[in-house]
Amino acid sequence: MPGFELFGNTERKELQDVLDNGVLMRYGFDGMRNGHWKAKELEQALEEKLQVNHAQLVSSGTAAVSVALASAGIGAGDEVIMPTFTFVASFEAIMMLGAIPILVDVDDTLTLDPKAVTEAITTKTKAIMPVHMCGSMANLNTLQTICHEHDLLLIEDSSQATGATYNGKPLGSIGDLGCLSLDFVKIITAGEGGAVLTNNEKFYRHADHYSDHGHDHIGSDRGAETHPFLGYNFRISELHAAVGLAQLRRLDEFVAIQKKNYAIIREALSQIPEVTFRRVPEGGEESYSFLSFFLPDLETSRKVIQAFKENGIDACWNYYDNNWHYIRKWDHLKELKTLYPLSAEVKEGLQYLETKTFKQSDHYIGRNISCLIKLSWTEEEVKERANKMVKAIISVL
Ligand SMILES: *Cc1c(COP(=O)(O)O)cnc(C)c1O
């Protein structure tokens, strides 16, 4: 997945443009810029590539989720439904606004189970936030229907699946709002950065102002701008945007490389009857950033991970034992360990985590292994890796 594997002259050239005129900030300094507006250019390129009316760049993927929620008016005491399998950023971004993350089970797509989502809806629910983990997606048709029935917003986190499509449309462009990350390990990187995607003009205007202190961005005198509402600073810099711009132009190339490498490994693993693959919802096409498969049980998965390590097969994970991506090890969330006092609403809203169990998620995450698909492998290396993986799995079964 990581675009940093293939940095080159295109990234260097875009960065050099910014250094040459010295304007590292995305707003203002019109005279000095020499025509270079990297953040604006990247926003336009994202709009075209990801087929949305509006893209707002921000400082990170985590900020993108917070800004997306804020721009839709979600805040204190509101509930947002999210999956048990994601990155810690999901609940952080929700809690930053005083809203309450409601965690629900994933299914064999490794994303939100629509049935678990329906069961979790209350009068406080404002949004459903599927996280398209490891290059594939949630069942967006079903989730959209649930949103329409209950008058909820659909907010996609496609940080790990930029380049994947659902019914021919890019992920992130389908919900009311989409969020993506351009951090260092994502398929296209800006070093740090993120984007909010939407077709909703009002949400876009909110995101544009909110991510820059609430400045209204009217006219060409920044100091004279007024503030229709309170904001914050989640700006991206021109340096980051420049790298992101070069990387976005290479998205199709990256997806094509991943698809080729993924296909070789998948075909090899398909020979093993005990191996089954993650379900991709009908109409979905993965970004091929990861190959995710299931083994018969948790014990086997753990042994296979061990065998992979012993045989030099890196970048494969069983997330059941992972501190970053799965509810089981999020004790800091369950025990509400914060540096500052939380509101009574959030404390009360999160009490369910003291006792709630997630058996269905345990079932799927326990049996799953997800392997990163790298861009820099040669065909020979991929074939050798595939053979080693097959041998290691068979040695455990
Ligand atoms: C990386 C990631 C984020 C956060 O992005 P940052 O840019 O690192 O803040 C959010 N959600 C998911 C699923 C991610 O993988």
Side-chain angles (χ1 to χ4, degrees):
M1 162 157 94
F4 73 72
E5 291 180 277
L6 298 183
F7 277 155
N9 284 334
T10 49
E11 286 77 7
R12 202 167 289 118
K13 187 199 158 290
E14 295 296 333
L15 260 179
Q16 196 61 51
D17 284 345
V18 179
L19 292 173
D20 285 345
N21 66 47
V23 182
L24 310 190
M25 188 184 186
R26 67 159 303 176
Y27 297 114
F29 301 91
D30 301 23
M32 277 172 70
R33 291 185 174 269
N34 216 6
H36 292 305
W37 298 88
K38 298 301 179 187
K40 273 188 193 167
E41 216 183 314
L42 177 52
E43 283 168 350
Q44 270 168 19
L46 282 168
E47 287 161 6
E48 266 166 46
K49 187 79 210 164
L50 301 180
Q51 299 169 31
V52 280
N53 291 345
H54 307 286
Q56 175 66 43
L57 284 168
V58 289
S59 51
S60 72
T62 312
V65 177
S66 287
V67 172
L69 294 168
S71 71
I74 294 169
D78 293 337
E79 292 181 355
V80 178
I81 293 175
M82 57 163 274
T84 53
F85 175 51
T86 174
F87 178 46
V88 291
S90 301
F91 59 78
E92 291 167 358
I94 295 168
M95 288 172 69
M96 206 202 77
L97 301 164
I100 302 159
I102 301 297
L103 276 68
V104 309
D105 272 325
V106 298
D107 60 18
D108 59 347
T109 65
L110 299 179
T111 65
L112 280 181
D113 173 9
K115 198 167 143 280
V117 168
T118 307
E119 286 165 5
I121 294 172
T122 72
T123 52
K124 291 183 183 171
T125 311
K126 288 283 154 57
I128 298 174
M129 185 170 78
V131 182
H132 305 308
M133 285 295 280
C134 302
S136 185
M137 71 226 66
N139 189 331
L140 289 170
N141 267 356
T142 308
L143 292 178
Q144 218 155 24
T145 305
I146 296 171
C147 283
H148 288 152
E149 279 169 3
H150 297 267
D151 195 20
L152 305 174
L153 292 169
L154 184 64
I155 300 178
E156 295 174 75
D157 180 347
S158 63
S159 293
Q160 291 199 12
T162 310
T165 60
Y166 180 74
N167 291 335
K169 295 195 67 188
L171 293 191
S173 72
I174 296 159
D176 298 283
L177 289 144
C179 306
L180 59 92
S181 165
L182 300 170
D183 84 17
F184 191 55
V185 296
K186 299 304 198 290
I187 180 167
I188 51 169
T189 180
E192 297 282 4
V196 178
L197 311 173
T198 187
N199 290 315
N200 183 310
E201 162 70 28
K202 187 175 83 175
F203 293 168
Y204 163 66
R205 193 165 22 86
H206 289 173
D208 168 86
H209 298 7
Y210 182 71
S211 58
D212 185 28
H213 302 292
H215 299 329
D216 64 18
H217 295 161
I218 294 172
S220 56
D221 178 2
R222 251 178 96 69
E225 291 181 19
T226 65
H227 306 93
F229 47 79
L230 293 169
Y232 227 97
N233 178 5
F234 293 114
R235 289 191 305 262
I236 195 166
S237 80
E238 285 287 277
L239 290 170
H240 293 93
V243 178
L245 186 58
Q247 288 257 300
L248 179 62
R249 296 197 185 111
R250 305 176 73 182
L251 178 60
D252 292 341
E253 174 197 341
F254 291 173
V255 171
I257 295 170
Q258 286 176 174
K259 186 171 183 176
K260 206 169 111 225
N261 293 346
Y262 170 110
I264 292 170
I265 300 176
R266 180 162 177 148
E267 196 191 309
L269 297 196
S270 300
Q271 306 156 23
I272 309 172
E274 288 88 347
V275 169
T276 55
F277 295 93
R278 168 215 205 138
R279 181 166 61 86
V280 176
E282 203 187 317
E285 170 143 21
E286 297 178 75
S287 69
Y288 307 100
S289 293
F290 290 80
L291 175 64
S292 301
F293 55 95
F294 297 110
L295 290 160
D297 51 47
L298 171 63
E299 215 38 48
T300 310
S301 296
R302 281 180 170 150
K303 284 184 188 156
V304 166
I305 286 289
Q306 193 52 37
F308 279 180
K309 282 197 179 127
E310 282 157 17
N311 289 282
I313 299 157
D314 64 346
C316 289
W317 297 274
N318 171 258
Y319 289 109
Y320 191 78
D321 295 321
N322 182 282
N323 293 338
W324 288 26
H325 293 287
Y326 187 50
I327 175 75
R328 219 170 67 86
K329 296 282 189 88
W330 293 340
D331 291 336
H332 65 314
L333 172 66
K334 290 182 243 180
E335 295 165 17
L336 298 183
K337 289 190 178 162
T338 54
L339 289 176
Y340 48 85
L342 286 173
S343 74
E345 275 167 323
V346 171
K347 273 192 198 157
E348 196 185 317
L350 286 175
Q351 261 173 14
Y352 73 97
L353 285 175
E354 286 170 18
T355 50
K356 191 162 170 66
T357 55
F358 295 96
K359 275 197 191 134
Q360 183 178 304
S361 301
D362 287 346
H363 173 75
Y364 289 111
I365 299 299
R367 294 189 305 137
N368 169 247
I369 290 179
S370 288
C371 294
L372 189 69
I373 302 294
K374 290 196 187 167
L375 295 168
S376 53
W377 291 329
T378 64
E379 190 171 329
E380 205 165 282
E381 282 168 342
V382 183
K383 284 182 176 156
E384 195 187 318
R385 183 179 169 92
N387 285 336
K388 276 193 193 166
M389 285 172 74
V390 169
K391 275 193 196 138
I393 295 170
I394 288 173
S395 76
V396 169
L397 289 170

